[in-house]
Amino acid sequence: MSSGPGATSAPAPDPHDSPPASDAPAARPARKSSMFSSLTVRNYRLFFMGQVVSNIGTWMQRIAQDWLVLSLTGSSAAVGITTALQFLPMLLFGLYGGVLVDRLRKRPTLLVTQSSMALTAIALAVLTLTGHVQVWHVYVAAFAVGLATVVDNPARQSFVSELVGPGQLQNAVSLNSANFQSARLVGPAVAGILITGVGTGYAFLFNGLSFIAPLTGLLLMRARELHVVERAPRGKGQLREGVRYVTGRPELIWPIVLVGFVGTFAFNFPVYLSAFADDVFHAGAGAYSMFNTLMAVGSVAGALLAARRGTARLRLLIVAAMAFGALEIVAATTPTLWMFALLMVPLGLFGMTVNVTTNTSIQMSTDPAMRGRVMALYMMIFLGGSPVGAPIVGWITDTYGARVGLAAGGAVAALAAAVIGLILARVGNLRLSVGWHGGHPRVRFVPREQQEALAPAA
């Protein structure tokens, strides 16, 4: 987009009592959930169904926007500039958005932000359908959506806990990701048909109208069934308080740093995939849509697997980020379109595992009164890195080719994951343990005390 009595969200444990950050779960749900258990909550069902429609429109606009800019300019760097402008407000104002979200009621806030994004999409549709669109119009629209996202994103992220409570939070966050990525199966395909058939303007129009669904869902929710979360009062120093809160907790700061590197350099798929479709394989908008669709298949699988897991382990985050970076390097060397396309599936799976694991572990380790600011910082780093990374990878792609650009992004992600994994192991007083289990080799981190106790006497 996407009050009466109710259970309050569980506060995070004190940082001094936290388990070792690198190998312990960030938090455990109150009880084991089935894959779709959070959908039994009426308010969350309304939220979820509204997102189904709106997310399809969002993906249609993403594809249409990237392709329109490439058609108008012929430049991958221009696509990168568009991406940068869309995420620049998050980089500049993301923390202030988090402060606002912690002070405001989430549902009215989302009604305002969702309406503003709908109007922006409709304005871009009118300009495109009347033949008056210029590249600067797309830049302005991207920046306007970015401004709304500064508040909308942390509001949506933190609103989930008010919809389902702490016991269902892991499941709901994973289903939200599955929802968004499932729309990626439909949106790019429909966008490709519209672009080649009637033009990009109708994709923008559909996205604008699609916001009717989440807005209706928000209006139909029962306020008395929301889980009460105390809002932060107005006061000085709340932004600094949020930053200090995160930097003082290794289980929060290091995952955020990792997704900063991944989001800045490895998640710039509008630049990479449009360049591979147009410059490497010369296959046009249809191939670009296919790449996004196949990546969505893997992303949905990754999100559903996350929904089945009962914990969000930082060890899994490190492994998934390293695998994601390595797969990008392999994809950059593939000689044929179909080999490249098939690699989009595991790329989507591991990329979504990084996304969901980080999101869930951060939310479940954060005090509810701080959640807006913490999620804003997380989204500022994850999405706000694009204004820095997109022009850089766009320039590399234009200058040295799409293969070099994609390989460089993957190398940064893999290296960052390896370094931060070692830092988390050191912070958690862990050592690498290599051994055999059930006839198979096993590599893991264990507490130093445990390893020393199991070591044979000299």
Side-chain angles (χ1 to χ4, degrees):
M1 61 191 116
S2 160
S3 86
T8 58
S9 295
D14 186 89
H16 300 294
D17 298 330
S18 297
S22 17
D23 201 29
R28 295 182 182 274
R31 56 188 174 84
K32 185 174 177 61
S33 302
S34 67
M35 184 177 290
F36 302 103
S37 60
S38 54
L39 290 176
T40 60
V41 180
R42 179 184 180 275
N43 282 345
Y44 181 72
R45 278 201 310 275
L46 290 169
F47 180 87
F48 185 89
M49 290 187 292
Q51 292 297 296
V52 169
V53 179
S54 183
N55 286 336
I56 291 174
T58 297
W59 278 112
M60 290 176 64
Q61 174 146 333
R62 284 191 178 189
I63 300 300
Q65 176 179 279
D66 297 338
W67 200 255
L68 177 61
V69 171
L70 195 63
S71 301
L72 291 172
T73 66
S75 170
S76 293
V79 177
I81 291 171
T82 308
T83 303
L85 286 170
Q86 186 158 333
F87 296 120
L88 181 62
M90 181 64 73
L91 180 64
L92 297 177
F93 311 117
L95 288 177
Y96 296 98
V99 172
L100 284 175
V101 167
D102 279 337
R103 293 175 180 174
L104 300 173
R105 293 168 59 200
K106 307 299 187 296
R107 188 162 60 141
T109 300
L110 289 172
L111 286 169
V112 173
T113 57
Q114 295 285 288
S115 298
S116 66
M117 288 190 282
L119 293 174
T120 302
I122 291 173
L124 190 56
V126 171
L127 287 169
T128 307
L129 291 172
T130 57
H132 293 96
V133 70
Q134 299 178 37
V135 69
W136 71 267
H137 293 142
V138 186
Y139 289 164
V140 170
F143 188 76
V145 169
L147 285 174
T149 302
V150 167
V151 176
D152 183 80
N153 222 315
R156 278 188 298 109
Q157 299 285 344
S158 55
F159 188 47
V160 174
S161 65
E162 296 187 24
L163 292 171
V164 300
Q168 299 277 18
L169 184 58
Q170 159 95 12
N171 183 262
V173 169
S174 300
L175 288 183
N176 279 353
S177 298
N179 185 334
F180 186 69
Q181 297 302 327
S182 295
R184 198 173 179 178
L185 296 171
V186 180
V190 177
I193 293 172
L194 289 178
I195 291 170
T196 56
V198 294
T200 56
Y202 287 97
F204 300 137
L205 180 62
F206 182 93
N207 182 46
L209 297 177
S210 75
F211 283 96
I212 295 173
L215 290 170
T216 302
L218 287 167
L219 292 171
L220 291 176
M221 288 179 185
R222 297 170 181 163
R224 67 181 181 275
E225 295 179 6
L226 294 173
H227 293 254
V228 177
V229 173
E230 183 180 355
R231 299 200 304 272
R234 289 180 176 271
K236 294 183 178 180
Q238 289 179 321
L239 191 151
R240 292 192 300 273
E241 181 187 9
V243 174
R244 285 197 301 268
Y245 180 84
V246 172
T247 55
R249 300 172 67 101
E251 70 274 22
L252 294 179
I253 185 61
W254 289 114
I256 289 176
V257 171
L258 175 56
V259 298
F261 280 103
V262 174
T264 300
F265 297 102
F267 263 90
N268 277 291
F269 289 110
V271 178
Y272 295 139
L273 299 187
S274 60
F276 267 85
D278 195 47
D279 300 331
V280 177
F281 299 119
H282 309 289
Y288 182 45
S289 295
M290 179 182 68
F291 294 156
N292 280 278
T293 301
L294 289 172
M295 184 172 286
V297 172
S299 298
V300 171
L304 292 177
L305 286 172
R308 290 180 62 90
R309 286 192 293 268
T311 58
R313 293 182 178 274
L314 297 184
R315 175 178 60 190
L316 175 63
L317 170 62
I318 299 299
V319 173
M322 292 182 68
F324 179 74
L327 280 168
E328 284 199 340
I329 296 172
V330 173
T333 65
T334 54
T336 66
L337 183 149
W338 291 109
M339 290 178 64
F340 182 83
L342 289 175
L343 281 172
M344 294 299 101
V345 177
L347 265 174
L349 189 150
F350 283 105
M352 181 51 54
T353 301
V354 171
N355 192 345
V356 173
T357 304
T358 308
N359 189 314
T360 306
S361 65
I362 289 173
Q363 288 213 50
M364 297 181 74
S365 298
T366 302
D367 190 291
M370 301 291 296
R371 192 167 284 144
R373 277 164 284 181
V374 173
M375 294 309 296
L377 178 62
Y378 161 62
M379 298 308 299
M380 185 189 76
I381 298 298
F382 183 45
L383 299 180
S386 292
V388 177
I392 293 173
V393 301
W395 175 80
I396 293 173
T397 299
D398 279 344
T399 305
Y400 300 102
R403 296 187 185 279
V404 174
L406 182 59
V412 170
L415 181 61
V419 171
I420 291 174
L422 293 174
I423 292 173
L424 285 171
R426 184 179 181 85
V427 168
N429 197 30
L430 303 174
R431 281 185 176 177
L432 184 67
S433 172
V434 181
W436 288 84
H437 179 74
H440 300 285
R442 180 169 65 174
V443 180
R444 58 176 180 156
F445 286 105
V446 299
R448 291 175 183 267
E449 296 82 359
Q450 177 181 335
Q451 188 179 52
E452 290 168 358
L454 295 176

